[in-house]
Amino acid sequence: MKRIAIAVSILGLLSGTVVGCTNSSPNDNSAANTDNNTAINTSAQTKASNQNGKLRTVGVSLGDLGNPFYVAVQKGAERQAKKIGNVRVNAVSSGFDLNQQTNQIENFTAANTDLIILSAVDKKGVKPAIDNARQAGRVVIAVDSAVDADVDAMISSNNTQAGEIACKYIGDRLKGQGNVVILNGTQMDSIVQRVEGCMTSLSKYPGIKILSKDQNAEGTRDGGLRVMTDLLTTFPKIDAVFATNDQSGVGADLAAKQARRKEFFIVGVDGSPDATKAMEDKDGLFAATAAQNPAGMAEQAVQVGNDVIQGKKLSNSNILVPVKLVTRENLSSYKGW
């Protein structure tokens, strides 16, 4: 009891975002259903902690709020909360640390938060915290990355598709011949799926050699710079780079500039502002990105959570949001985040 009291006290000091009413209609997001390993348990829909069927508080635990992708997720959650009206949103950064994310979910649970949204940093490790939250009657929705736990809904980009279309672009542009490196990342489900999708596409080009695929660029610009600097030292000829997110790709672009290497091009995943800016640089190497809609995913998560709390039956509890390949050729038509 002492631990719970302390957690409530600490959370009460955290600054949340209070959003008011608006007459705007919810943003429609195209999505496709799929079967994957995520377990969806809709029985909790009937036991939400908010007995009056009204969404009042949302807790959001994300990978890193220094990353524009997660900032867009936060803004999307806040925007949909504003449409619903009088909903408090508290978004926190886990720094991709499992213990930190576990503590955040426990704090949200102890504070009687109606809806918990998370982008899991470890799909297995976060299970006990999710289980405890749902046993306490909280509605839990996973966004961006799957979890090995029962949740009320799972909403994510089609990350396998992201890897597939990004690396098909690489294979086609190289005309099936060349040396490719993959900048891997923290082994979240989304990253694993992107690499799997990439490998599937590149396997169709027997003339392409993968020089490296296991180096962890940590999903950051600094990580991309560090890993790519090492790869440039190791390999005298690289024809293309697949970065599992845009931030690491931007770091790889910087590494190339510092090494004065221009023989390759870079393809990322996210569709972030940093990537589109890099693609606008004619002297840069960033050529394409498989664009996600992070704000749209978060908007859906808040709306789905609100539906669950109101006792509505979900027609789809496992939602995949398609991605789109953005290249320099179609960049002018891309609306961005």
Side-chain angles (χ1 to χ4, degrees):
M1 294 297 293
K2 182 177 181 181
R3 180 183 178 188
I4 294 177
I6 293 173
V8 173
S9 177
I10 292 173
L11 193 62
L13 296 174
L14 295 175
S15 59
T17 301
V18 179
V19 287
C21 296
T22 180
N23 293 325
S24 301
S25 59
N27 182 39
D28 291 330
N29 294 285
S30 61
N33 296 325
T34 187
D35 292 327
N36 64 16
N37 293 328
T38 305
I40 306 293
N41 182 348
T42 57
S43 63
Q45 295 172 13
T46 61
K47 63 168 188 174
S49 62
N50 191 341
Q51 297 299 322
N52 63 9
K54 182 175 176 59
L55 176 63
R56 301 163 302 185
T57 53
V58 179
V60 187
S61 175
L62 301 171
D64 180 5
L65 284 172
N67 184 322
F69 177 88
Y70 294 111
V71 173
V73 172
Q74 176 186 1
K75 290 181 178 178
E78 292 171 352
R79 185 158 55 241
Q80 189 63 27
K82 184 176 181 180
K83 292 176 182 178
I84 293 170
N86 297 318
V87 179
R88 179 180 293 274
V89 177
N90 183 17
V92 292
S93 176
S94 69
F96 294 110
D97 181 83
L98 173 61
N99 290 331
Q100 180 80 343
Q101 185 164 70
T102 296
N103 289 336
Q104 290 166 352
I105 296 171
E106 289 177 348
N107 288 342
F108 288 146
T109 302
N112 294 318
T113 303
D114 298 321
L115 170 62
I116 299 174
I117 298 172
L118 74 149
S119 178
V121 302
D122 184 324
K123 69 176 184 177
K124 294 182 179 179
V126 78
K127 183 181 187 300
I130 291 176
D131 290 346
N132 290 337
R134 298 192 76 244
Q135 287 170 8
R138 313 293 176 255
V139 175
V140 180
I141 296 179
V143 169
D144 180 47
S145 191
V147 293
D148 285 350
D150 289 344
V151 292
D152 291 277
M154 170 66 204
I155 302 171
S156 71
S157 296
N158 191 330
N159 287 295
T160 300
Q161 179 199 22
E164 289 174 345
I165 65 174
C167 290
K168 182 180 184 301
Y169 174 86
I170 289 174
D172 289 346
R173 179 163 168 169
L174 292 179
K175 298 181 179 179
Q177 299 287 331
N179 297 328
V180 176
V181 298
I182 297 174
L183 300 188
N184 216 310
T186 303
Q187 293 300 283
M188 302 165 60
D189 205 59
S190 55
I191 299 298
V192 172
Q193 290 173 0
R194 291 172 196 174
V195 173
E196 289 174 348
C198 175
M199 296 294 289
T200 297
S201 287
L202 293 184
S203 69
K204 299 175 182 178
Y205 303 90
I208 287 182
K209 181 179 181 181
I210 300 175
L211 301 177
S212 173
K213 64 182 180 69
D214 298 320
Q215 295 297 309
N216 182 7
E218 300 173 344
T220 66
R221 183 182 308 213
D222 288 344
L225 172 62
R226 173 182 53 79
V227 170
M228 195 66 208
T229 297
D230 291 342
L231 292 173
L232 289 171
T233 302
T234 304
F235 301 110
K237 185 177 185 299
I238 296 172
D239 297 299
V241 175
F242 172 55
T244 49
N245 77 338
D246 284 345
Q247 288 296 298
S248 59
V250 170
D253 195 11
L254 178 58
K257 290 178 181 178
Q258 292 180 352
R260 298 183 180 180
R261 296 271 294 269
K262 291 186 176 182
E263 78 273 14
F264 58 88
F265 61 93
I266 301 167
V267 180
V269 176
D270 278 342
S272 70
D274 286 342
T276 56
K277 182 179 179 180
M279 290 164 63
E280 291 171 352
D281 180 3
K282 295 181 179 180
D283 295 325
L285 303 180
F286 217 115
T289 178
Q292 303 190 78
N293 183 4
M297 285 191 289
E299 290 173 8
Q300 277 191 295
V302 173
Q303 185 57 53
V304 167
N306 187 48
D307 290 344
V308 171
I309 288 172
Q310 291 181 348
K312 297 179 182 179
K313 184 177 180 180
L314 302 182
S315 58
N316 300 313
S317 55
N318 190 5
I319 303 169
L320 282 185
V321 181
V323 298
K324 174 186 177 182
L325 187 69
V326 178
T327 67
R328 285 180 173 175
E329 289 70 30
N330 64 11
L331 181 59
S332 62
S333 64
Y334 175 56
K335 295 180 180 180
W337 296 350

